Amino acid sequence: MLADGAQAAPHMKIDVQDLDVDFLGFSGHKMCGPTGIGVLYGKKEHLEKMEPIEFGGEMIDFVGLYDSTWKELPWKFEGGTPIIAGAIGLGAAIDFLTDIGLDNIAAHEHKLVGYAMDQLETIDGLKIFGPRDPMKRCGLVTFNLDDVHPHDVATVLDMNGVAVRAGHHCAQPLMKCLQQVATARASFYLYNTEEDIDRLVAGLRSAKEYFGDVF
Ligand SMILES: Cc1ncc(COP(=O)(O)O)c(C=O)c1O
């Protein structure tokens, strides 16, 4: 069982032993770190049985003309010159988040998402997806505004200095289940404030006004 932790690792404490997951992966760039590097945790018993699929320096134990043997973990899977600067950057990002405290980050996000839900609910015609209880959410709100396509909503928000993501969010089966062609999504992290949410709400009100005239 492989868990994709790309959207969890920056926001909450993860205990791979408690989850008892075989593999868990996450990306550096979603947690204040550099792009092009991430982490793959795997249970030693599985990793020991697995063959490498990438080859290069530093991974070999013995090389013959027709066969080779591999070094022990983790070198077996780290063929070639590694992304050294990226690894140092990701280490610094993890230290940075650990110093702030993942529990503090989660609490900040829950507070912001609660505030956002309260404010967004005051906008007529705004449909919010997902549970009402902020404690059951990560720091994000997914929504659609009336019949306006979320790409148009995102463009108006962008003109107001608010960046949201619009589209199917790499989750087309979920869009189908929600019976939406696409949605807009505002996400919050440790650097966001209630003022940012006020700007989002003001931006949505101006989108509503603008498209209200069009439709
Ligand atoms: C849940 C999830 N998994 C994987 C990825 C892809 O990560 P990467 O760009 O590091 O391959 C993303 C990025 O959008 C994601 O949100």
Side-chain angles (χ1 to χ4, degrees):
M1 174 66 72
L2 183 145
D4 180 343
Q7 297 286 2
H11 304 284
M12 61 182 73
K13 270 190 187 155
I14 297 177
D15 182 337
V16 284
Q17 266 142 19
D18 183 42
L19 284 175
D20 196 24
V21 68
D22 297 316
F23 298 93
L24 181 119
F26 60 90
S27 309
H29 68 273
K30 291 192 193 294
M31 44 198 306
C32 309
T35 54
I37 187 160
V39 169
L40 177 66
Y41 159 84
K43 277 188 182 166
K44 205 172 172 187
E45 64 196 83
H46 300 316
L47 294 172
E48 272 171 350
K49 276 189 242 151
M50 287 164 54
E51 281 294 306
I53 54 164
E54 285 180 346
F55 304 91
E58 298 296 329
M59 66 180 295
I60 46 102
D61 176 28
F62 165 83
V63 176
L65 272 186
Y66 299 104
D67 52 11
S68 311
T69 55
W70 317 123
K71 260 192 201 156
E72 68 269 35
L73 296 168
W75 292 279
K76 175 169 89 166
F77 292 116
E78 297 190 349
T81 306
I83 175 171
I84 299 166
I88 293 170
L90 179 53
I94 292 172
D95 287 346
F96 171 70
L97 296 182
T98 311
D99 284 351
I100 295 170
L102 280 156
D103 288 341
N104 292 331
I105 293 172
H108 179 67
E109 287 183 21
H110 284 137
K111 191 166 155 264
L112 285 183
V113 89
Y115 180 74
M117 298 285 283
D118 291 345
Q119 301 304 309
L120 291 169
E121 275 173 355
T122 64
I123 303 175
D124 234 18
L126 192 88
K127 181 167 174 47
I128 299 174
F129 300 94
R132 175 63 187 86
D133 180 358
M135 295 310 286
K136 291 191 176 151
R137 290 179 164 269
C138 284
L140 59 86
V141 184
T142 301
F143 53 84
N144 267 334
L145 182 63
D146 295 323
D147 291 330
V148 186
H149 194 285
H151 281 150
D152 292 332
V153 173
T155 304
V156 175
L157 286 175
D158 183 43
M159 281 156 36
N160 284 271
V162 179
V164 297
R165 170 119 187 239
H168 51 67
H169 314 283
C170 310
Q172 282 172 336
L174 178 62
M175 293 299 118
K176 202 170 169 196
C177 171
L178 296 173
Q179 298 183 315
Q180 305 292 312
V181 279
T183 56
R185 182 182 72 198
S187 334
F188 318 120
Y189 201 30
L190 48 94
Y191 39 72
N192 287 114
T193 61
E194 290 186 355
E195 286 72 48
D196 294 331
I197 293 163
D198 293 341
R199 287 184 74 178
L200 167 70
V201 173
L204 282 168
R205 287 195 195 286
S206 66
K208 201 172 158 54
E209 218 166 273
Y210 178 76
F211 290 109
D213 289 345
V214 175
F215 288 110

